[in-house]
């Protein structure tokens, strides 16, 4: 079993990541059940304001669904299982007690690795002061973790407490979160906003509901009213970008996601930005969708939709070989993904590899004859996958331990090559490529080894695969130099010119072009 720390590193999660579970009512009063749900939504947001990595309530519930675990009455073992799946090393659990107009919150931190609980962190006050109580607890939780706090307590907590929201608004909001009925949730969120129009958390929740229901125009109207100065305004902009994608306003969506990516290039933002570019059409905006998606893959290792979208973008851009490379990886990881198999077939045919395409197509259509009309590529299909959150959870993290194992094979290969054992180095690198087919470093080392063994064609293929994984000006210049070495001067010039666009001073590319 992969250790928790290693899984955190592989998944890109930060040590100290917090998952918040709804605290339970001591009296088990159904009328007060809204308190726990409101805390589970508000507390991760307050932790994020302190730069403490915390799992958003929406992503936590998606994990519950994916793992087929009901989000109620969790045992400690089940809570730890969910936290490990989400890459969280700490879980916030606890209870609350409501007596008349007073509320007491008692939260504890469960260390996932050790299974140990902290002493209780307690906050008390009027029920309508719930947001302030949560903020105080967020400060205490942040102090107990590894993330450095860069502000003061007074600056974070602000002046003392008059509640920004009425009790009616808070209760309606919490009840909406607790409700399993979509119609009731909608009514309760609207009631919360009617009682407190500046309740941005409720507005975000309503906007998300509308986006998911494809009520995109209504969602834009709702989200436009989120305060631009609010800490959670970014969530509103992200959801608004999704709504614009649904409405076909691709250039507007690209503008929203481009601005968000400058602030913080999260996997979800980069993915949706690339899809907006793709749908807006080639040349309408400066960047290529495939280039943006490569950044997304690096930002979100383990997110299965990103390699699919990158393959789709490359196919749309006319690079069938690169598209087939990525789609083969998607099919290997999920053989049941029929859309990936279809796009793989289209990619192979675009690349002129008809026999391979037929070998993939025949068993697919034999199992599912309804796919027969898709024998010919139809790039107007909406196969690409829009992300619903900025940092979607990676639930199958053990599989991504392969990347760490691949890195160790590459390290051994480099030592063997230095010692003159090219056969041993080749074995190690082939194993690394099997474990991590998207590892740019793996393919680069294979290319150099094949070149040293005078197998130029294999070296060229591996250099191209390295570039399909990650654009790198130096590697492109190396490809240009090898193409010139084998007499393919036209291709060499093309690659050298592309390299110089990224680095006008690249000496290797200049030599290929005969420049000093």
């Amino acid at each position: 079993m992969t250790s928790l720390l290693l899984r955190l590193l592989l998944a890109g999660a930060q040590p100290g990541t917090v998952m918040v579970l709804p605290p339970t009512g001591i009296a088990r009063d159904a009328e007060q059940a809204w308190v726990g749900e409101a805390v589970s939504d508000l507390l991760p947001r307050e932790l994020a304001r302190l730069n403490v990595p915390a799992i958003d309530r929406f992503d936590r519930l998606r994990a519950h669904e994916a793992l087929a675990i009901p989000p109620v009455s969790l045992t400690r073992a089940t809570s730890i299982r969910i936290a490990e799946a989400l890459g969280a090393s700490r879980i916030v659990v606890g209870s609350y007690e409501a007596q008349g107009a007073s509320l007491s919150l008692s939260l504890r931190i469960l260390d996932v690795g050790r299974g140990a609980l902290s002493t209780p962190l307690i906050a008390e006050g009027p029920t309508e002061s719930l947001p302030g109580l949560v903020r105080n607890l967020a400060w205490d939780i942040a102090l107990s973790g590894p993330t450095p706090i860069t502000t003061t307590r007074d600056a974070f907590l602000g002046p003392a407490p008059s509640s920004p929201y009425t009790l009616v608004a808070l209760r309606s909001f919490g009840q909406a979160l607790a409700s399993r009925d979509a119609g009731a949730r909608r009514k309760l969120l609207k009631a919360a906003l009617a009682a407190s129009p500046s309740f941005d958390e409720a507005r975000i929740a309503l906007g998300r509901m509308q986006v998911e229901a494809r009520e995109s125009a209504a969602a834009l109207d709702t989200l436009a009213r989120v305060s631009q100065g609010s800490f959670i305004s970014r969530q509103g902009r992200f959801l608004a970008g999704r709504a614009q994608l649904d409405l076909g306003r691709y250039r507007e969506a690209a503008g929203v996601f481009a601005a968000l990516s400058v602030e913080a290039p999260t996997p979800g933002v980069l993915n949706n930005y690339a899809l907006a570019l793709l749908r807006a059409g080639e040349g309408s905006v400066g960047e290529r969708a495939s280039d943006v998606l490569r950044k997304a893959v690096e930002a979100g290792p383990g997110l299965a939709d990103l390699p699919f979208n990158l393959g789709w973008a490359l196919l749309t851009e006319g690079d069938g070989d690169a598209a087939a490379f990525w789609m083969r990886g998607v099919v290997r990881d999920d053989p049941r993904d029929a859309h990936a198999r279809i796009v793989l077939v289209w990619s192979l045919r675009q690349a002129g590899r008809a026999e391979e395409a037929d070998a993939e197509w025949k068993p697919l259509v034999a199992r599912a004859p309804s796919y027969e009309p898709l024998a010919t590529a139809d790039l107007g299909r909406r196969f690409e996958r829009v992300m619903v959150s900025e940092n979607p959870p990676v639930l199958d993290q053990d599989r991504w331990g392969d990347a760490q194992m691949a890195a160790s094979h590459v390290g051994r290969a480099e030592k063997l090559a230095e010692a003159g054992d090219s056969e041993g180095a080749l074995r190690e690198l082939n194993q690394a490529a099997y474990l991590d087919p998207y590892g740019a470093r793996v393919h680069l080392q294979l290319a150099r080894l094949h070149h040293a063994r005078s197998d130029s064609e294999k070296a060229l293929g591996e250099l191209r695969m390295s570039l399909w994984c990650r654009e790198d000006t130096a590697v492109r210049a190396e490809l240009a130099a090898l193409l010139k070495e084998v007499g393919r001067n036209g291709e060499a010039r093309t690659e050298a010119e592309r390299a110089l666009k990224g680095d006008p001073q690249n000496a290797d590319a200049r030599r290929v072009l005969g420049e000093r």
Side-chain angles (χ1 to χ4, degrees):
M1 176 66 70
T2 308
S3 71
L4 174 63
L5 179 58
L6 177 58
R7 290 167 67 181
L8 288 171
L9 294 173
L10 293 175
Q14 302 173 52
T17 296
V18 176
M19 181 180 80
V20 179
L21 295 179
T24 56
I26 291 176
R28 305 280 181 185
D29 184 351
E31 286 296 313
Q32 298 294 338
W34 64 270
V35 173
E37 292 298 334
V39 170
S40 74
D41 185 85
L42 297 173
L43 183 52
R45 301 181 197 274
E46 295 297 341
L47 290 169
R49 289 184 60 217
L50 289 165
N51 297 317
V52 175
I55 308 296
D56 184 79
R57 177 180 179 274
F58 174 74
D59 288 331
R60 176 177 61 81
L61 291 177
R62 289 182 63 225
H64 278 276
E65 183 179 347
L67 296 169
I69 297 173
V72 291
S73 303
L74 300 179
T75 64
R76 182 180 296 189
T78 301
S79 300
I80 289 174
R81 178 188 170 197
I82 296 170
E84 287 184 330
L86 288 169
S89 60
R90 298 189 293 164
I91 307 172
V92 175
V93 297
S95 61
Y96 64 87
E97 184 172 12
Q99 291 185 336
S102 297
L103 178 66
S104 174
L105 291 173
S106 176
L107 304 182
R108 304 176 79 180
I109 302 168
L110 174 61
D111 185 297
V112 173
R114 295 183 298 141
L117 278 170
S118 72
T119 56
L121 304 171
I122 297 173
E124 298 175 329
T127 306
E128 63 266 22
S129 71
L130 176 64
L133 301 181
V134 168
R135 186 168 295 183
N136 273 281
L137 289 166
W139 178 265
D140 293 338
I141 292 167
L143 278 180
S144 71
T147 305
I149 297 178
T150 57
T151 186
T152 66
R153 181 183 177 89
D154 288 343
F156 176 66
L157 298 178
S162 71
S163 175
Y165 314 127
T166 67
L167 181 56
V168 170
L170 286 167
R171 182 183 291 112
S172 296
F173 175 64
Q175 288 173 339
L177 298 180
S179 175
R180 297 184 182 183
D181 181 77
R185 280 203 307 276
R186 188 185 301 265
K187 288 179 182 177
L188 287 164
L189 288 171
K190 288 183 176 179
L193 289 169
S196 292
S198 64
F199 199 161
D200 283 335
E201 289 86 351
R203 200 170 294 284
I204 293 288
L206 178 59
R208 188 186 296 281
M209 278 194 71
Q210 291 167 328
V211 169
E212 291 172 352
R214 296 297 179 91
E215 299 168 3
S216 302
L220 285 177
D221 182 61
T222 297
L223 297 165
R225 302 181 192 187
V226 174
S227 170
Q228 292 304 302
S230 167
F231 179 74
I232 60 172
S233 65
R234 181 179 173 93
Q235 289 187 34
R237 291 156 63 200
F238 180 85
L239 290 168
R242 282 185 56 204
Q244 287 172 328
L245 279 175
D246 285 340
L247 289 169
R249 301 178 184 174
Y250 303 135
R251 294 190 185 189
E252 292 94 330
V256 169
F257 290 122
L260 289 171
S261 70
V262 170
E263 297 169 14
T266 59
V269 162
L270 291 170
N271 179 80
N272 292 358
Y273 176 34
L275 299 191
L277 294 177
L278 201 61
R279 294 181 184 181
E282 186 178 357
S284 63
V285 189
E287 294 186 85
R288 294 199 325 165
S290 60
D291 292 336
V292 176
L293 279 163
R294 284 191 182 90
K295 297 175 187 175
V297 169
E298 290 183 19
L303 295 173
D305 287 345
L306 294 175
F308 179 95
N309 284 342
L310 177 51
W312 177 260
L314 290 163
L315 174 66
T316 303
E317 293 170 1
D319 194 343
D321 279 318
F325 168 81
W326 282 95
M327 282 302 169
R328 278 208 186 280
V330 176
V331 169
R332 188 193 79 159
D333 290 339
D334 185 1
R336 298 169 299 177
D337 190 335
H339 282 179
R341 287 190 176 277
I342 291 168
V343 177
L344 172 59
V345 170
W346 292 353
S347 303
L348 291 168
R349 287 184 177 153
Q350 186 185 84
R353 296 153 62 180
E355 289 186 9
E356 292 178 67
D358 290 342
E360 294 286 345
W361 179 250
K362 288 175 183 176
L364 174 63
V365 80
R367 289 193 302 270
S370 60
Y371 289 134
E372 184 62 49
L374 297 176
T376 302
D378 178 4
L379 300 183
R381 294 266 175 177
R382 287 287 177 247
F383 281 170
E384 63 270 41
R385 299 162 183 181
V386 178
M387 285 200 174
V388 298
S389 64
E390 286 204 55
N391 290 288
V394 180
L395 297 178
D396 188 16
Q397 292 175 20
D398 281 335
R399 178 165 58 88
W400 294 95
D402 289 351
Q404 186 74 11
M405 292 175 64
S408 66
H409 282 288
V410 172
R412 286 198 292 271
E414 290 172 345
K415 290 179 181 178
L416 288 168
E418 288 173 5
D421 185 357
S422 65
E423 287 294 336
L426 185 59
R427 283 194 300 272
E428 294 289 345
L429 288 172
N430 283 333
Q431 184 64 27
Y434 174 78
L435 290 168
D436 186 17
Y438 302 145
R441 179 185 171 207
V442 176
H443 294 293
L444 179 58
Q445 294 304 318
L446 272 168
R448 289 172 177 169
L449 184 60
H450 286 308
H451 187 206
R453 289 161 60 93
S454 301
D455 194 336
S456 298
E457 283 306 310
K458 285 185 178 178
L460 289 168
E462 293 293 344
L463 284 172
R464 293 191 189 281
M465 281 189 269
S466 181
L467 289 166
W468 292 340
C469 295
R470 184 177 63 225
E471 179 59 40
D472 186 309
T473 299
V475 176
R476 193 165 291 283
E478 190 171 336
L479 172 62
L482 183 53
L483 285 166
K484 185 173 183 180
E485 180 183 311
V486 298
R488 292 158 65 172
N489 295 328
E491 294 175 66
R493 289 190 65 84
T494 299
E495 297 297 344
E497 288 166 358
R498 288 185 65 183
L500 288 175
K501 286 182 180 179
D503 177 12
Q505 303 305 316
N506 187 283
D508 292 334
R510 286 184 172 277
R511 276 194 292 272
V512 169
L513 296 174
E515 301 176 4
R516 292 185 178 178

